[in-house]
Amino acid sequence: MARRSSSSAFPSLPVVAWQPGLPVHGSSTWVVVVGEEDGLPAAAKEAGGRLGVDLDRLLEVQRATGFAPSAGATAAYPLLTGEVTEILLVGAGGGTAKELRHAGAAIARFGRGKDELTTVVAEGIDDAALQAFAEGVVLGSFAYTQKTADAGKPAVGTVTLTDGSAEERQPAIDRGVVIGRTGWLARQLAITPSNEKDPAWLAARATEVAAATGLEVTVWDEKKLAADGFGGILAVGQGSTRPPRLIRLDYVPKGATKKTPYVVLVGKGITYDTGGLSLKPREGMVSMKRDMTGGGSVIATLSALRDLGANVRVTGLVCAAENMPSGTAYRPDDVIRHFGGRTTEVKNTDAEGRLVLADGLAYAVQELKPDVLVDVATLTGAIKVSLGAMLYGGMFATDDALADNLADAGRVSGEELWRMPLPAEYEDLISTPIADSVNSSKGPGSITAALFLKAFTGDLPWAHLDLSSIAEAPADRFEYSAGATGAGARLLSTWLSSDTPTSGIG
């Protein structure tokens, strides 16, 4: 199962391997990927001969009984003789990368408890689709439990892919496994219960990841946060007995020079959000263990950059705190002084994510001076009102090229973004005579939250990703498992490992 082991920073993932030519024997279960228009892959005839099965006839019968090869659809057929015991037909729809990601996830779910699956895909499948297929296998294998009985079947051990040709395709698969791993790790961090997960726990996991992947790591404890003036992180965390942390991870690519583009990611790391003194109702608190999804996705993204060969310098900042009500909690009407001196009048202690992110953004601008600045958070419920659930995450940006590059990465990764407006006319909604701004107001909540953050970004090209709308899957469907999605990790790792992630920005 997907439980973190103390001996490794990463869970145990299925092996996804390419097999040039059909294997002589293969596993006891063979999977055949079927397209809506193309039908069976070219190697199916030879595979059927090996198995003693007319796959064309099998597909015809399955269609007659209701099987349609839409993406992720499955139909299993048992074999009563021979070493191979079953054949699984899996739909690939129109064969797009997105549909093949769905197909890969369906195969992973079917393969639970099995040692190996031999999988026949269409000959000539392009690298993007093959990568997405591997991502789906990894993501569809995810599970997390702390059950002591009936814990469920483990993930499939190995999925061996072949199109019957002699071509070698492992590099595209390996990239897909790494991208999928970021989503798995971000989910695992987000789904961990908060009685185990606090800011110090998150810092310890980031330190493990850094050691495993060649990153530099720095952690601010509460004393160092106070000494350096991180007033937002401290205020949000002061109501908890478990103090806040700021986590910094640094990735420098091989051969980096002063001309190497530099990106800073800032992630919201609220390890549990009760709303503080502005207490949430019970229903609103359920699932708030995953309110550090943005911070978890930053950690997961940084973990993959070396394996993906990213050619940009990247610093990840995770602003971690637990938002609790107590006699020491911060209050409505308090005035907070952030890193660098800007002040905020608190009107709602449940609008805490922007307070910790503000410190991280201000630190990035003043101390790191990157070329590009991006923050990622499950920031507002308002974005779910605007965009609904599990279709798009919200994106606000001050640079059109940055917005386009992130949107492109969203389409490739399957974590799609919808650009939202940043109208200056709404800045009056967060004004106050007491401080530089307030942290909450009536009106368009996701927009005013973004405008609040914009004041801390200087003149840097900046994007704010509000991913509350895609952070929680209602059921097992396609590459998602019910619960926390780890939103942002696949998007950011895809963007930063592209050939020109900062192209046109500025």
Side-chain angles (χ1 to χ4, degrees):
M1 306 303 289
R3 292 187 65 186
R4 186 188 61 81
S5 165
S6 60
S7 62
S8 173
F10 299 110
S12 177
L13 303 177
V15 174
V16 188
W18 181 261
Q19 168 73 54
L22 287 180
V24 175
H25 297 292
S27 67
S28 61
T29 299
W30 281 55
V31 179
V32 180
V33 180
V34 185
E36 285 181 329
E37 294 183 4
D38 299 334
L40 293 167
K45 185 174 183 179
E46 182 182 351
R50 295 265 185 99
L51 303 176
V53 177
D54 183 341
L55 289 175
D56 284 306
R57 176 61 179 157
L58 174 60
L59 176 58
E60 181 182 337
V61 170
Q62 292 295 337
R63 281 182 180 272
T65 56
F67 173 74
S70 57
T74 59
Y77 181 79
L79 300 180
L80 302 180
T81 61
E83 294 182 359
V84 177
T85 60
E86 60 186 342
I87 295 172
L88 179 72
L89 301 178
V90 175
T96 65
K98 180 178 181 178
E99 290 169 310
L100 281 161
R101 188 181 292 111
H102 296 342
I107 290 169
R109 289 197 176 93
F110 175 82
R112 287 202 171 280
K114 300 180 185 297
D115 291 333
E116 185 178 2
L117 301 175
T118 299
T119 303
V120 182
V121 298
E123 188 172 0
I125 181 174
D126 65 33
D127 281 352
L130 192 58
Q131 174 188 321
F133 191 96
E135 290 172 19
V137 170
V138 172
L139 293 165
S141 298
F142 179 81
Y144 178 94
T145 185
Q146 293 194 14
K147 286 186 176 183
T148 58
D150 301 322
K153 296 177 181 179
V156 61
T158 300
V159 176
T160 301
L161 304 179
T162 181
D163 66 356
S165 73
E167 191 173 357
E168 177 54 65
R169 305 294 300 280
Q170 192 64 43
I173 290 173
D174 289 344
R175 178 177 170 83
V177 169
V178 174
I179 296 287
R181 187 188 77 193
T182 67
W184 182 314
L185 179 58
R187 285 184 197 175
Q188 186 181 4
L189 294 171
I191 207 169
T192 298
S194 293
N195 60 328
E196 178 180 355
K197 175 177 61 187
D198 66 1
W201 182 95
L202 195 60
R205 300 293 78 75
T207 301
E208 288 180 355
V209 167
T213 58
L215 305 173
E216 294 294 323
V217 60
T218 306
V219 177
W220 281 255
D221 64 13
E222 64 273 27
K223 292 180 180 178
K224 194 171 191 309
L225 287 168
D228 290 349
F230 288 92
I233 298 173
L234 285 166
V236 173
Q238 73 188 40
S240 174
T241 59
R242 306 196 289 180
R245 296 287 185 268
L246 174 63
I247 306 158
R248 173 177 170 175
L249 297 170
D250 285 285
Y251 164 77
V252 180
K254 186 177 180 180
T257 67
K258 291 182 179 180
K259 294 183 179 180
T260 301
Y262 183 27
V263 175
V264 172
L265 306 177
V266 183
K268 175 185 173 183
I270 302 298
T271 56
Y272 197 76
D273 183 20
T274 66
L277 292 180
S278 305
L279 194 68
K280 294 177 183 288
R282 184 197 65 81
E283 294 79 6
M285 256 183 258
V286 173
S287 81
M288 282 299 101
K289 65 181 182 181
R290 61 111 178 104
D291 207 23
M292 38 57 63
T293 290
S297 70
V298 168
I299 294 169
T301 297
L302 268 290
S303 78
L305 296 181
R306 199 166 304 282
D307 286 339
L308 294 172
N311 57 10
V312 289
R313 287 176 56 212
V314 182
T315 293
L317 300 173
V318 179
C319 307
E322 185 175 65
N323 188 23
M324 300 289 284
S326 75
T328 61
Y330 78 123
R331 298 156 292 263
D333 287 341
D334 282 0
V335 174
I336 294 169
R337 189 171 298 276
H338 294 275
F339 185 93
R342 186 176 171 86
T343 56
T344 297
E345 184 182 14
V346 176
K347 289 302 179 184
N348 182 352
T349 65
D350 195 23
E352 84 298 328
R354 66 202 71 182
L355 299 177
V356 301
L357 288 173
D359 276 0
L361 292 168
Y363 172 79
V365 170
Q366 295 175 53
E367 300 297 324
L368 303 180
K369 298 178 173 57
D371 300 305
V372 178
L373 184 59
V374 176
D375 72 76
V376 54
T378 49
L379 201 66
T380 68
I383 201 69
K384 290 189 284 186
V385 176
S386 298
L387 298 177
M390 294 307 295
L391 285 179
Y392 299 98
M395 173 176 61
F396 301 80
T398 58
D399 184 278
D400 290 342
L402 174 58
D404 290 344
N405 294 353
L406 285 167
D408 288 344
R411 283 186 287 272
V412 170
S413 67
E415 296 185 326
E416 296 200 51
L417 299 172
W418 190 271
R419 190 174 183 183
M420 302 288 288
L422 269 172
E425 290 83 354
Y426 289 158
E427 289 177 357
D428 285 347
L429 295 174
I430 55 172
S431 66
T432 170
I434 304 299
D436 293 315
S437 65
V438 294
N439 76 323
S440 179
S441 69
K442 295 180 180 179
S446 61
I447 296 175
T448 54
L451 288 169
F452 174 89
L453 293 174
K454 182 176 179 289
F456 293 88
T457 63
D459 296 324
L460 292 176
W462 163 71
H464 161 56
L465 307 182
D466 187 347
L467 304 186
S468 294
S469 50
I470 57 171
E472 188 84 11
D476 291 356
R477 187 166 185 264
F478 299 139
E479 68 265 37
Y480 293 107
S481 303
T485 64
R490 291 187 287 138
L491 160 70
L492 292 172
S493 54
T494 297
W495 170 53
L496 292 169
S497 63
S498 62
D499 290 337
T500 54
T502 59
S503 176
I505 298 172

